[in-house]
Every structure is written in structure tokens, then in C-alpha cells.
Amino acid sequence: EIVLTQSPGTLSLSPGERATLSCRASQSVRGSQIAWYQQKPGQAPRLLVYGAFSRATGIPDRFTSSGSGTDFTLTISRLEPEDFALYYCQQYGSSPLLTFGGGTRVEIK
Amino acid sequence: QVTLKESGPALVKPTQTLTLTCTFSGFSLRTTGMRVGWIRQPPGKALEWLARIDWDDDRFYSTSLKTRLTISKDTSKNQVVLTMTNMDPVDTATYYCARYGSGSYDYFDYWGQGTLVTVSS
């Protein structure tokens, strides 16, 4: 099973700042098959990015992702008030067995 | 418009069997390539993938839970059912059903709102 470790656990930033979230895999993720989700309290996760680079429908371009092998990054270029939330990475390189990271909370400083 | 909604008991006792139903609209599990999965999230914890069912009735399960899980579908009702046997308090979680993305890529593009299941005597 591929274990995903997200860091930091919590990111304290101000609106307008840049957020950099890390997702590290215990082994190489085939085809960079990583997705990122945003989750707000009491809500289901929302798909942000898939295939490590492709934004889902309706996701603003301030969300970008990069990475390959075992290291992946989600970057939010300028934080908007609605971006303060929990973020999860998910790998599907070992499909059908899927795993999620432990999450990074982006909170208002 | 794609929607999914989970239903089932809010409270189950230890050792009981949990049955959850996912009722969806906006797509069909008769369509080639379509797949639906279940994911759970214990309170304050991370997401955990549980199971998947495909349009052709292929089924896949979490390695750690596969002896306890059964996933099935009723295409005429647009429903997917998940059963989990021998429930334990550690199984307390919000259970989500979600649609897999297009093609053969296993990310989730649409999620249900989730249903909280508490396991307690």
C-alpha cells in the first residue's frame, strides 16, 4: 500500500499569501496519478486537481499542482477567504487500491 | 446534473451489520466505464477508501476490510449498496459514496453529502 504523508499538518497564512502544500508518497506513484481535494467543515471533499496537473471543472487557476515520483505539491497562489479549508491528496497509481494523505489544514493567521 | 446521496442507519450496535445505500442521478452504471465507490472518514480524521463497483459488475475492496465488505448495484434503481459486517466503535465515521472520474482514472469527481454512522451499544 502506498502511504501518503502530507505536510505541514497546519498552515497559518493570511489572505493574499501563497500556500504550498506537500504530499510525499512512500513509493513512486505511477503516472503521477495524484488528485487533490478541498474539504470544508460539514461538507464532502471537492475535487480540485487530478492527474497531478489538471484542474477540475470550475476550479480557479490560482490552484496549481506539480510533482512526480514521490513528491507532489499543491500551490494556491493568492489565498482567498474561501480557500481556508482542509486539503487532501489521493493517489490512484496503485488502482484499484486507493489511498489518501492525512490532510493539511490551511487556517487564517 | 450529477448527484449522489447516501442513506442508512445513523446508529448501529457493535457486531451488527451496516447497510448503506447510495442513490444517484445524472449518470448510469449501465454506461461503459462508469464506476462508483465508497469512502469513509472518522470524526476529525482522514479519508479512507473502502470499495468500488464497476459498470460490468467488477468489484474491488480495501485490503484491510475486504473480509467485512460487500458492494452491489441495482442499475434499475440507480443505487449502489455497501454492507459492512461485524461493526465496531472504530467504524464510527461519515460514509461517502462518490463517482469515479471519466476514463480509467480513479479519482472522484462527484461526492454525496455523506452519512454519519455511529457504532455504540
Side-chain angles (χ1 to χ4, degrees), chain A residues 24-89:
Chain A
R24 177 162 290 178
S26 59
Q27 56 187 279
S28 183
V29 178
R30 180 172 55 91
S32 296
Q33 295 188 54
I34 289 283
W36 289 89
Y37 301 87
Q38 177 193 69
Q39 186 179 36
K40 295 181 179 179
Q43 296 184 18
R46 177 175 72 142
L47 177 67
L48 297 175
V49 173
Y50 59 94
F53 312 111
S54 302
R55 273 187 298 274
T57 303
I59 302 303
D61 60 8
R62 64 179 181 272
F63 290 91
T64 59
S65 67
S66 61
S68 63
T70 60
D71 291 306
F72 299 89
T73 300
L74 177 71
T75 302
I76 310 170
S77 58
R78 289 169 52 90
L79 283 164
E80 297 287 341
E82 61 268 26
D83 299 336
F84 292 91
L86 256 175
Y87 292 84
Y88 291 99
C89 58

Side-chain angles (χ1 to χ4, degrees), chain B residues 1-55:
Chain B
Q1 180 191 4
V2 173
T3 64
L4 304 98
K5 187 173 184 179
E6 306 85 353
S7 58
L11 180 66
V12 297
K13 291 180 167 46
T15 75
Q16 287 187 335
T17 294
L18 171 68
T19 299
L20 295 173
T21 301
C22 174
T23 303
F24 56 86
S25 63
F27 67 97
S28 172
L29 266 174
R30 290 191 177 98
T31 302
T32 298
M34 206 58 68
R35 300 161 298 159
V36 171
W38 286 92
I39 303 100
R40 72 178 179 179
Q41 184 174 35
K45 296 189 177 180
L47 301 159
E48 179 184 17
W49 175 77
L50 300 177
R52 167 186 134 193
I53 191 163
D54 295 358
W55 81 101

Side-chain angles (χ1 to χ4, degrees), chain B residues 38-116:
Chain B
W38 286 92
I39 303 100
R40 72 178 179 179
Q41 184 174 35
K45 296 189 177 180
L47 301 159
E48 179 184 17
W49 175 77
L50 300 177
R52 167 186 134 193
I53 191 163
D54 295 358
W55 81 101
D56 60 0
D57 215 32
D58 273 349
R59 308 170 194 205
F60 303 91
Y61 298 100
S62 160
T63 303
S64 60
L65 292 168
K66 62 182 176 182
T67 61
R68 299 173 53 206
L69 294 173
T70 303
I71 191 169
S72 61
K73 62 182 172 67
D74 185 333
T75 51
S76 66
K77 293 182 179 178
N78 280 349
Q79 290 181 335
V80 171
V81 175
L82 182 75
T83 62
M84 181 180 290
T85 61
N86 194 24
M87 293 293 285
D88 184 271
V90 299
D91 297 312
T92 294
T94 297
Y95 287 75
Y96 296 99
C97 63
R99 191 185 80 163
Y100 279 68
S102 60
S104 58
Y105 302 113
D106 288 5
Y107 56 84
F108 300 99
D109 59 359
Y110 289 92
W111 294 65
Q113 64 192 22
T115 186
L116 176 62

